[in-house]
Structure formats: C-alpha cells, structure tokens
C-alpha cells in the first residue's frame, strides 16, 4: 500500500472538534472583572434615608456597631434587635480593603439569617480626574 491512510487523522480531528464545541461555553462564562470607581453626580439629590445601622470592620477584623466595639456574639444580638424593630432597616457595611471576602460574606449571611435583607456597601468616592 503506497497511499497514506487519512482515516485515523479524520477521526482524531472530529473528536477534537467535539471537545472544543463542548468546552467553548465554559471558557466564555469566565469573567475577569476590574471594577471601576465612580464619581457621584453633582446634581443628584440624595434619597431620603430610612432606618439604618452602621457596621465597620477594620483590617485586623475588629468590628464597630454604630461606633461601638462589638464581637461576633454581640453583633448577632444587635442584628436581631435591629430586625425586630424594623425589617426594612439597612445595614451599611464599611469594610477595610484588606478584609477578606469570606469575612464580608459571613457578615452578610449573619445579617440575612436574622431578617435584614437591605445591605449597603459604603466606599470612598473616586478621586476626580
């Protein structure tokens, strides 16, 4: 036989084609996010604030509830009290940039587990360009 048999080559190419067709949607769903900083519009009027409480977390993990130092147990108790007063109370979360994402998620979960669903993230305004 003096000719090259291309059947195995075609079989391999078809298998690779099927693999790429199946794998392509998984490669597209990944998002590389670089979140932008936004400037506040100068003409906008702030909305009427409803009831809110402030929770701050610094880089060492220390927390403050409306300016008063709290631990996890006290925080849960304060969240329960705030939810019992008004479930529309907003939790304004101020987290240092070095606080881990997992810690922020656990605080959000704690707030949601007691009935507070309005959570706002407080950040500094972007520097003007």
């Amino acid at each position: 036989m003096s000719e090259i048999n291309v059947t195995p080559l075609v079989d391999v190419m078809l298998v690779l084609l099927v693999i790429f067709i199946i794998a392509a949607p998984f490669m597209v769903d990944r998002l590389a996010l670089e979140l932008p900083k936004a400037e506040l519009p100068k003409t906008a009027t702030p909305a009427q604030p409803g009831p809110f409480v402030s929770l701050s977390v610094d880089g060492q993990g220390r927390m403050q509830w409306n300016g008063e130092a709290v631990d996890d147990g006290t925080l849960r108790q304060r969240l329960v009290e705030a939810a019992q007063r008004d479930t529309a109370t907003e939790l304004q979360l101020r987290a240092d940039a070095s606080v881990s994402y997992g810690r922020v998620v656990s605080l959000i979960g704690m707030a949601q587990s007691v009935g507070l669903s309005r959570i706002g993230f407080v950040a500094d305004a972007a520097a003007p360009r």
Side-chain angles (χ1 to χ4, degrees):
M1 206 171 144
S2 63
E3 297 177 16
I4 297 176
N5 187 2
V6 294
T7 305
L9 176 66
V10 171
D11 289 344
V12 169
M13 296 307 269
L14 289 174
V15 168
L16 287 174
L17 179 65
V18 169
I19 290 172
F20 286 129
I21 288 173
I22 292 172
F26 296 114
M27 291 185 270
V28 174
D29 286 342
R30 287 188 330 144
L31 294 177
L33 296 178
E34 184 177 327
L35 298 176
K37 293 189 177 192
E39 294 180 23
L40 297 175
K42 294 182 180 14
T43 59
T45 57
Q48 294 298 325
F52 71 91
V53 291
S54 174
L55 176 62
S56 303
V57 183
D58 69 1
Q60 287 76 36
R62 296 182 298 244
M63 296 180 293
Q64 289 188 343
W65 176 270
N66 290 336
E68 180 185 339
V70 294
D71 60 358
D72 280 346
T74 308
L75 174 63
R76 179 172 287 282
Q77 179 183 359
R78 300 267 175 98
L79 288 170
V80 168
E81 291 169 0
Q84 287 174 346
R85 279 193 305 272
D86 187 359
T87 56
T89 300
E90 179 179 354
L91 176 65
Q92 293 182 351
L93 184 58
R94 292 171 171 84
D96 189 84
S98 61
V99 174
S100 72
Y101 179 72
R103 180 64 177 151
V104 172
V105 169
S106 70
L107 292 173
I108 292 170
M110 187 185 300
Q112 289 178 336
S113 70
V114 299
L116 294 176
S117 59
R118 295 186 59 207
I119 300 172
F121 295 97
V122 180
D124 290 333
R129 293 181 185 186

